[in-house]
């Protein structure tokens, strides 16, 4: 029987502050890292928080950023979404 935490993938679409919070609040990046899904698809409206969270997932949990690309979801505005694929290294 599979464990609840035997996940193939996780999709994260956080608010602009990303999945890392201040030390006094729940830290979603650590919760995802401890579950060790094989793939993480991260959709973000802030490339800087995506970069910060991807760095934490890499340094603490061994994830590699495989692909990242911009997605112009709102073509008549300055806002651009970023979509990234991170995979767990062996």
């Amino acid at each position: 029987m599979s464990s609840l935490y035997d996940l193939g993938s996780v999709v994260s679409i956080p608010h602009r502050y990303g999945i890392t919070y201040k030390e006094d609040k729940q830290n979603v990046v650590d919760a995802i890292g401890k579950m060790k899904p094989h793939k993480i698809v991260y959709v973000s409206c802030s490339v800087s928080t995506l970069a910060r969270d991807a760095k934490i997932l890499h340094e603490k949990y061994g994830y590699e950023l495989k692909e990242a690309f911009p997605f112009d979801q709102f073509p008549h505005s300055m806002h651009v979404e970023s979509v990234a694929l991170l995979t767990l290294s062996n």
Side-chain angles (χ1 to χ4, degrees):
M1 181 195 269
S2 294
S3 163
L4 175 64
Y5 299 110
D6 185 14
L7 300 175
S9 59
V10 167
V11 176
S12 176
I13 308 173
H15 51 73
R16 74 186 66 185
Y17 304 113
I19 56 175
T20 304
Y21 296 97
K22 295 182 183 194
E23 61 278 347
D24 60 335
K25 299 197 176 181
Q26 182 180 8
N27 196 328
V28 177
V29 74
D30 284 330
I32 292 172
K34 289 175 184 175
M35 288 189 289
K36 298 226 178 269
H38 302 291
K39 296 179 183 178
I40 300 170
V41 177
Y42 192 125
V43 181
S44 178
C45 63
S46 171
V47 71
S48 62
T49 58
L50 169 61
R52 179 201 61 211
D53 294 340
K55 181 179 177 184
I56 293 168
L57 287 163
H58 173 71
E59 291 176 351
K60 288 181 78 173
Y61 301 104
Y63 283 88
E64 296 292 332
L65 180 62
K66 293 294 184 181
E67 294 182 66
F69 57 93
F71 180 74
D72 191 6
Q73 185 171 345
F74 308 104
H76 299 292
S77 74
M78 295 176 34
H79 301 284
V80 176
E81 300 289 310
S82 300
V83 181
L85 172 64
L86 297 101
T87 60
L88 188 59
S89 298
N90 292 334

